[in-house]
Amino acid sequence: MSTTEPYTIRGLRVQDHYFQAPLDHANPEGKAITLFARELSDAQLNASELPWLLFLQGGPGGKGNRPTGLNGWLAEATKHFRILMLDQRGTGLSTAANRQSLPVQGDVAAQADYLSHFRATDIVADAELIRAELGSGPWSIFGQSYGGFCALTYLSFAPEGVREALFTGGLGPLSGPADEVYEATFARLLPRNAEYFAKYPQDRVVLARILAHVADVSELLPTGERLTPERVQMLGNFLGGNTRFDALHFVFEDAFIDTPDGARLSDSFLAAVAAQVSRAANPLYALMHESIYVQGEASNWAAERVLANHPDFRPDAVEPLLTGEMVYPWYFEQDPALVPLRELADVLATRTAGWGALYDAQQLGRNQVPAAAAVYTNDIYVDRDISLATAAGVNGLQVWETAGFHHDGIADDGEGIFARLLQLVRSPGQEA
């Protein structure tokens, strides 16, 4: 482990840590990778006296948060913990896995073998290695979204390393296939679209105009590629949160601008779309997204197959709806950051080898680690019914279900949500 000198950002004490880990924890003498994690604490407190909390970020393929001060859920958490913000393998300042670095591993088959070690089981093994190097006893873990999936894996295979576990929007299915996930999320997207267009009916007209326009006129995103109707539909990612729902309206309101060549899409609209559709910053999200659900089987582009059952979400529908976080093969044809990874994506989608068990249902059924989860009733990313079914399979897991937040709950009221979950794990059965 190597560590930098600490520094302070608006009340937040920050210290950077680097660790060496084996690519394959079953072969500790083999290829090594670097893991980066950032220690965060209240600059006014003596953090060395506080226990550790490991934060597991959403994704897959998302780096740890880069906070710019002591606010949000950190303001509450740092009263009780020093926090380790992990850049999960392949992300952030950990050894990169993207179109630039993956060819170092060899041909496409070798790259697929390499990425078979980038799932929740490997992230948990990384966390246990880091915990040992820090000299920590069992620590608390906090998983947001995909980070909650990783926390379930932690409780499955290394519960001895966990003091207590908190989940926000992060109770994924304990078994496959991935098709069930996408059937559920398409079903959740229908009422969310209806809710949005009921509030902003003029945006239904604007969206139809945009879709017709880009089908006939070449509009280029800042990265140089042509904007397509299906990528416009990806603006539905805004619908996944309270803090983003209304922001979508402000994207639509200045979509068009008058030019000497007639009405064209404005630069500000094109920039907003580019920010939503590019995976340059997190290519593993697209590459590994369906693999976070598979255990022994291939995903075979599950979202693309399930889309056939939901024609209202097709770009050629009469009134196409906005889509969510699903990943389709055409991502790897239209996103410049993903185009070089198309063959690799196909190999991963059809791969069965290397997708071992992500959870141990028997271990979860006899779980003794205090755990509490926020389940969001109308979450369009992690389905409420799937979450409750998973919760029922984890002994002692306390559920707080609320319709007051969406998937981005900790961005909406992180302090309140964190405090409530911590109260639940430490005073079982008591309301915060």
Side-chain angles (χ1 to χ4, degrees), residues 123-323:
I123 293 166
V124 168
D126 291 341
E128 279 295 273
L129 179 150
I130 291 171
R131 185 176 68 86
E133 291 206 24
L134 292 174
S136 173
W139 55 10
S140 302
I141 60 175
F142 176 22
Q144 156 66 13
S145 189
Y146 174 64
F149 295 20
C150 295
L152 284 170
T153 302
Y154 218 140
L155 295 182
S156 293
F157 300 118
E160 68 281 0
V162 184
R163 174 190 177 191
E164 57 203 356
L166 311 180
F167 301 79
T168 50
L171 295 179
L174 297 181
S175 60
D179 303 48
E180 296 176 4
V181 172
Y182 298 112
E183 288 287 0
T185 50
F186 275 119
R188 293 276 176 210
L189 271 167
L190 280 169
R192 191 61 165 165
N193 270 266
E195 179 184 358
Y196 179 81
F197 289 118
K199 184 172 184 178
Y200 298 110
Q202 66 273 35
D203 289 355
R204 176 75 263 181
V205 177
V206 174
L207 175 60
R209 183 184 175 194
I210 294 168
L211 293 172
H213 177 81
V214 299
D216 294 333
V217 179
S218 179
E219 294 280 9
L220 303 183
L221 292 174
T223 39
E225 76 275 22
R226 181 172 177 171
L227 177 59
T228 60
E230 54 266 34
R231 294 185 94 188
V232 174
Q233 290 178 271
M234 289 173 67
L235 288 172
N237 279 311
F238 277 97
L239 302 182
N242 278 350
T243 62
R244 288 160 51 79
F245 182 87
D246 296 292
L248 178 56
H249 173 64
F250 301 125
V251 174
F252 280 134
E253 71 178 1
D254 67 347
F256 284 95
I257 188 170
D258 291 329
T259 78
D261 298 319
R264 299 296 298 263
L265 293 179
S266 68
D267 284 347
S268 61
F269 176 79
L270 292 170
V273 173
Q276 292 300 307
V277 305
S278 174
R279 290 298 170 195
N282 57 346
L284 285 180
Y285 180 90
L287 277 171
M288 302 297 290
H289 194 266
E290 293 194 350
S291 78
I292 69 175
Y293 300 111
V294 300
Q295 301 180 77
E297 74 278 8
S299 73
N300 287 317
W301 295 111
E304 175 80 359
R305 289 184 289 100
V306 171
L307 176 63
N309 302 329
H310 301 273
D312 288 343
F313 291 95
R314 292 183 54 83
D316 56 2
V318 175
E319 288 192 332
L321 297 178
L322 297 168
T323 58

Side-chain angles (χ1 to χ4, degrees), residues 14-212:
V14 182
Q15 192 163 26
D16 299 340
H17 302 281
Y18 294 85
F19 307 86
Q20 293 298 303
L23 171 69
D24 179 0
H25 284 272
N27 181 22
E29 302 304 318
K31 184 177 296 186
I33 60 172
T34 296
L35 301 172
F36 173 80
R38 185 163 274 140
E39 179 181 345
L40 306 171
S41 61
D42 186 333
Q44 300 298 314
L45 301 178
N46 183 357
S48 64
E49 297 179 353
L50 295 174
W52 285 100
L53 171 77
L54 173 68
F55 180 69
L56 294 164
Q57 167 72 353
K63 64 185 178 183
N65 296 344
R66 267 48 179 175
T68 56
L70 189 58
N71 49 44
W73 70 268
L74 289 172
E76 178 63 29
T78 52
K79 296 175 183 177
H80 312 276
F81 302 100
R82 50 177 163 166
I83 296 155
L84 196 71
M85 184 74 66
L86 176 64
D87 279 355
Q88 297 167 11
R89 51 174 56 199
T91 75
L93 296 181
S94 295
T95 298
N98 57 31
R99 66 177 177 84
Q100 297 165 302
S101 65
L102 283 169
V104 172
Q105 306 306 322
D107 61 14
V108 168
Q111 293 173 40
D113 288 342
Y114 181 77
L115 289 181
S116 72
H117 299 293
F118 280 67
R119 296 214 300 163
T121 46
D122 307 286
I123 293 166
V124 168
D126 291 341
E128 279 295 273
L129 179 150
I130 291 171
R131 185 176 68 86
E133 291 206 24
L134 292 174
S136 173
W139 55 10
S140 302
I141 60 175
F142 176 22
Q144 156 66 13
S145 189
Y146 174 64
F149 295 20
C150 295
L152 284 170
T153 302
Y154 218 140
L155 295 182
S156 293
F157 300 118
E160 68 281 0
V162 184
R163 174 190 177 191
E164 57 203 356
L166 311 180
F167 301 79
T168 50
L171 295 179
L174 297 181
S175 60
D179 303 48
E180 296 176 4
V181 172
Y182 298 112
E183 288 287 0
T185 50
F186 275 119
R188 293 276 176 210
L189 271 167
L190 280 169
R192 191 61 165 165
N193 270 266
E195 179 184 358
Y196 179 81
F197 289 118
K199 184 172 184 178
Y200 298 110
Q202 66 273 35
D203 289 355
R204 176 75 263 181
V205 177
V206 174
L207 175 60
R209 183 184 175 194
I210 294 168
L211 293 172

